[in-house]
Every structure is written in C-alpha cells, then in structure tokens.
Amino acid sequence: MALPVVAGVDGSEPSLAAVDRAADEAALRGAPLRLVYASLWERYEGASFAPDVGEPDEEVMAEDVVRAAERRARSRQPAVHVTSEVLPEEPEYALVRESRSALLMLLGCRGRSGLTEALLGSVGVMVAGHAHCPVIVLRGGPDDPARSGTGGRVVLGVGEKPAGSAAVRFAVEEARLRGVPLEAVRAWRRPAHATTGHPLMTGEPAHQGERQAVETLEEALSDVPGDLPVRRRTPEGRPRDALLAAARDAGLLVVGARRRPGHYGLQLGRVTHGVLHHAACPVAVVPEPA
C-alpha cells in the first residue's frame, strides 16, 4: 500500500489550510491522504458528556472536525482517497509516530498569544524536529496563495554536507512535480577579524569563502536532472537571513535537519528554527541521515 500524506487537523483555520495543501500534495503524488486529530479528551477527569450521545464533548467535537476536514479534502481533490482518525493522545507524540509510516506531513502554523506570524506553536516545532518524514509547516497569511496552493518556485537551503542530501532530493522532486524552478542557496561569511578597509576584505579569505559556497552548491546539484530550471545563489551574510530573503515570494522553502546520536529524533539548528518562525512561505523540514 502506498504511504499516505498526513495532515494534522484541529478545526482551526491554519489546520484547514494544511488539509488543502495536503490534498494537493497527495494528488500530485498519487498518494492517499490521512487526516489525524490528536487530543487528550479521555484523560480528563470529570469530562462532560454530550446529551444523548454518551461520549465526552471533546470527542464529539473531534469527530465533527475530522468529518468536516474529510469533506473539504474530497471536495478539493475528488480523486484522492481520504481517511481520518481521532487519537486520544498528545498531538506531538501522535504525529511523530504517524510520521514513521507517512510519505509527507502537513501542519498549520499555530502561534501563542495571538502572534501567529511571529511564533510557531510547540506542536509544530516538536513534530518538525522529530519526524521521520518530511514535514511542511505552512507559513504566510490566510489569503496567501502559496500557503494552500502548490505554485511558486522552490527555494533550497544547501547545508554543509550536501552529498546524498535528502533535502536536495525532496526539493528537486517538489519542483518537478509542481513544474516550477528550483533556487539553491548557500550563504557565506567573511572572516570575523575582517573589517571595512582591511586588506582581507578583498583578499583571499573572503574569496575562499565564496568559492567554497559555489563548490558546495555544485556538489549538491550534481545529480539534478538537466531539464529542471535551477538558479544558484551564493549571497554573503547569515544563512537564516539569506534564506528568508530568498523565500519572500517563493512557494516553498526546503531545509534539512540532521539526526544527532544520543538525542531523540532531530535537533533543529538555529537556521531551521529561524526560518520556521519567520519565513513568509511554507517551510519543509527534511530529516537527513546521520
């Protein structure tokens, strides 16, 4: 059986956008779609029960949410096979477990204290940091077409170890499936001791950093099919800032996350944290081999 595209749902506007995007991604891949609502309703003592139903109110609400999400997905992509499930557990752990048998996972951006565009919710950070499959976290405003659509170029942040990169393969696949260009970005910085007017500003160290960035890009893109339009960019500056600038009008930003021995799942670095919290477009976090 084909692995499904999974979307986490909770009835919120961000999660409905995730359902839309997940349905589109499933249709592109010819994959089934699985909708998951995770809740702790049965663990609460003294939970009230819905009249004439004999079930906790939250359980009834969850069932309503997933049924509505199913209808929405089928209406958007009638050819996609859609299933759903309500799980009585913490959403972070339920979704990480779901990722073990998923092709791709979609999550809506949930913020704290109303600052949805500035702060990513703990569920998104936890799942993106520990999932076993690529996770797309939707960014942007509710009216942003890049949020729920599949248009716009794909921007790829190229890491320090590009050989065999899962993020590169994912970005190439996304660009090909959607028929859009790929833009690969590898930032570089001048030596810390180089200052304005110092000979090193235009000397070998700065040029060496740029050359290394170019070489890293070429290594990462060595197996990209020749029919895929690819733009290579090696801006000077902090990697996070370079990726945020490149992703301003993109359809998707792709970054990798490497497993660290002795840690549970993935540990997101500063660059990945930064783009997850501040990117203007959806962000895909792709687990990389150790």
Side-chain angles (χ1 to χ4, degrees), residues 102-262:
L103 180 65
L104 175 66
M105 182 168 286
L106 281 292
L107 299 174
C109 177
R110 296 295 301 274
R112 300 190 298 272
S113 304
L115 301 179
T116 304
E117 292 310 310
L119 299 170
L120 182 66
S122 60
V123 173
V125 171
M126 170 71 173
V127 176
H130 296 83
H132 299 269
C133 71
V135 176
I136 295 180
V137 179
L138 301 191
R139 297 288 308 167
D143 298 324
D144 186 351
R147 184 169 184 170
S148 58
T150 53
R153 61 196 166 82
V154 173
V155 174
L156 166 67
V158 176
E160 295 181 358
K161 300 178 180 180
S165 169
V168 173
R169 293 195 299 272
F170 180 84
V172 169
E173 179 188 24
E174 277 286 295
R176 286 178 63 90
L177 284 172
R178 295 157 60 187
V180 298
L182 175 67
E183 181 171 324
V185 179
R186 173 67 182 176
W188 62 280
R189 303 186 70 177
R190 295 175 187 270
H193 59 276
T195 59
T196 303
H198 194 282
L200 290 175
M201 288 296 288
T202 56
E204 182 63 24
H207 289 295
Q208 180 181 1
E210 187 170 14
R211 281 201 302 271
Q212 289 175 343
V214 171
E215 291 170 359
T216 300
L217 274 186
E218 291 306 317
E219 181 182 355
L221 302 173
S222 59
D223 295 328
V224 174
D227 60 344
L228 178 65
V230 179
R231 179 184 179 187
R232 297 161 171 80
R233 293 187 57 192
T234 55
E236 181 183 0
R238 297 194 303 172
R240 189 197 75 162
D241 295 342
L243 291 177
L244 291 177
R248 284 195 187 109
D249 59 349
L252 181 68
L253 171 60
V254 180
V255 292
R258 292 194 175 276
R259 295 183 182 276
R260 297 182 181 180

Side-chain angles (χ1 to χ4, degrees), residues 37-43 87-94 97:
Y37 184 113
S39 168
L40 285 177
W41 56 266
E42 72 173 12
R43 298 186 188 178
L87 302 174
E89 359 177 5
E90 292 278 6
E92 296 94 331
Y93 301 111
R97 188 184 66 251

Side-chain angles (χ1 to χ4, degrees), residues 2-4 6 34 96-104 132-133:
L3 293 178
V6 175
R34 176 171 165 80
V96 169
R97 188 184 66 251
E98 289 284 327
S99 75
R100 292 180 180 273
S101 56
L103 180 65
L104 175 66
H132 299 269
C133 71

